[in-house]
């Protein structure tokens, strides 16, 4: 039974969301402030955390920052509708996905399942290491290295990089990256893919000739360079 941590100061909302998730087959625990939520998230007892951005004292962004300093636990942020700034900051800090509020419990449950399916399920089908130039991925362990050095990737970053590696040398559309990497269709004006890939590029660094190994292909998407 997947273990989900819900963090929000809205008691009524958490009660309703928690009840839905329990009926949908999840084990849940609630935290009503960012500090308690961060401590719970770092306990190692959960598979994923859903955190609201708008909380007093320690908001969701600071809660995520604290979690990411010590853990790669998958995190979904609940953000205000149309608040692009919080979404981008959250993704840059390592959030795996976001859900705009108000949203249905069914939508949140679907996002949770998509992330857990990627991080726990897909890897079982791929045991062999995947190597493209200086990049090596171990899907069964959700582990990656660049030039022999371990890469610190979030679950979503690993999934996106894995998709690019599978199609190395060929462009991959943002729609395909969203479907296979995020587990959902690409939404209009959604910049999640761009922000995640910007973070991955930063972590990989540059090739000897100064280029990024992940190239933007005009009107086609992104491509992982095969020759590195």
């Amino acid at each position: 039974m997947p273990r989900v941590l819900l963090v929000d100061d809205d008691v009524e909302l958490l009660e309703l969301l928690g009840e839905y998730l329990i009926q949908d087959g999840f084990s849940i625990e609630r935290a009503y402030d960012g500090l308690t939520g961060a401590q719970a998230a770092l306990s190692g007892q959960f598979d994923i955390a859903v955190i609201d951005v708008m909380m007093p004292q320690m908001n969701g962004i600071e809660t995520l920052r604290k979690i990411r300093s010590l853990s790669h636990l998958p995190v979904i942020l609940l953000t205000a509708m149309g608040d692009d700034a919080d979404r981008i900051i959250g993704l840059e800090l390592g959030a795996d996905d976001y859900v705009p509020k108000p949203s249905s419990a069914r939508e949140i449950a679907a996002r949770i399942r998509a992330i857990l399916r990627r991080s726990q399920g897909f890897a079982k089908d791929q045991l062999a290491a995947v190597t493209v130039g200086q990049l090596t991925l171990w899907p069964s362990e959700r582990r990656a290295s660049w030039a022999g050095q371990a890469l610190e990737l979030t679950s979503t970053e690993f999934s996106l990089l894995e998709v690019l590696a599978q199609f190395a040398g060929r462009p991959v559309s943002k729609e395909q990256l969203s479907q296979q990497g995020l587990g959902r269709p690409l939404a209009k004006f959604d910049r999640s893919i761009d922000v995640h890939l910007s973070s991955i590029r930063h972590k990989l660094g540059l090739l000897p000739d100064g280029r990024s190994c992940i190239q933007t292909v005009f009107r086609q998407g992104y491509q992982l360079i095969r020759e590195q």
Side-chain angles (χ1 to χ4, degrees), residues 5-87:
L5 173 66
L6 304 176
V7 186
D8 196 330
D9 64 319
D10 188 331
V11 176
E12 183 178 356
L13 174 65
L14 279 202
E15 290 298 321
L16 293 172
L17 177 56
E19 288 301 318
Y20 181 91
L21 293 177
I22 289 171
Q23 293 177 15
D24 204 31
F26 296 96
S27 170
I28 68 102
E29 184 169 320
R30 305 171 181 88
Y32 300 100
D33 64 84
L35 181 59
T36 303
Q39 292 171 343
L42 294 172
S43 69
Q45 299 178 11
F46 299 97
D47 298 306
I48 191 169
V50 180
I51 302 173
D52 184 40
V53 169
M54 296 299 294
M55 293 187 291
Q57 298 178 352
M58 188 174 180
N59 65 29
I61 297 297
E62 290 304 314
T63 303
L64 171 64
R65 193 191 305 273
K66 187 174 182 64
I67 293 170
R68 276 292 167 264
S69 68
L70 296 170
S71 171
H72 294 297
L73 177 76
V75 172
I76 295 175
L77 288 181
L78 301 180
T79 67
M81 184 70 73
D83 197 339
D84 292 335
D86 279 341
R87 295 176 189 177

Side-chain angles (χ1 to χ4, degrees), residues 25-209:
F26 296 96
S27 170
I28 68 102
E29 184 169 320
R30 305 171 181 88
Y32 300 100
D33 64 84
L35 181 59
T36 303
Q39 292 171 343
L42 294 172
S43 69
Q45 299 178 11
F46 299 97
D47 298 306
I48 191 169
V50 180
I51 302 173
D52 184 40
V53 169
M54 296 299 294
M55 293 187 291
Q57 298 178 352
M58 188 174 180
N59 65 29
I61 297 297
E62 290 304 314
T63 303
L64 171 64
R65 193 191 305 273
K66 187 174 182 64
I67 293 170
R68 276 292 167 264
S69 68
L70 296 170
S71 171
H72 294 297
L73 177 76
V75 172
I76 295 175
L77 288 181
L78 301 180
T79 67
M81 184 70 73
D83 197 339
D84 292 335
D86 279 341
R87 295 176 189 177
I88 293 172
I89 291 171
L91 292 171
E92 289 175 340
L93 287 174
D96 292 270
D97 205 352
Y98 66 85
V99 179
K101 294 174 70 177
S103 58
S104 68
R106 181 178 180 181
E107 170 70 8
I108 295 171
R111 297 290 183 93
I112 291 172
R113 290 195 185 281
I115 291 175
L116 293 180
R117 192 163 55 243
R118 294 198 314 268
S119 62
Q120 299 175 354
F122 291 170
K124 296 177 182 178
D125 298 328
Q126 292 180 281
L127 300 178
V130 178
T131 299
V132 180
Q134 300 182 74
L135 174 68
T136 301
L137 302 171
W138 291 268
S140 61
E141 303 172 34
R142 305 290 290 178
R143 182 167 62 88
S145 72
W146 176 265
Q149 299 297 312
L151 289 172
E152 295 293 328
L153 301 172
T154 67
S155 175
T156 293
E157 288 170 353
F158 184 93
S159 296
L160 290 171
L161 191 53
E162 184 180 11
V163 175
L164 289 174
Q166 290 171 353
F167 295 92
R170 291 176 285 168
V172 184
S173 69
K174 290 177 66 175
E175 176 63 39
Q176 186 172 356
L177 283 167
S178 186
Q179 288 279 12
Q180 295 186 226
L182 301 184
R184 58 178 171 84
L186 181 68
K188 192 175 183 180
F189 306 121
D190 189 345
R191 297 179 58 190
S192 300
I193 299 293
D194 306 296
V195 177
H196 284 306
L197 289 181
S198 175
S199 176
I200 295 171
R201 281 169 164 161
H202 178 73
K203 292 178 179 180
L204 293 178
L206 300 176
L207 298 173
D209 61 6

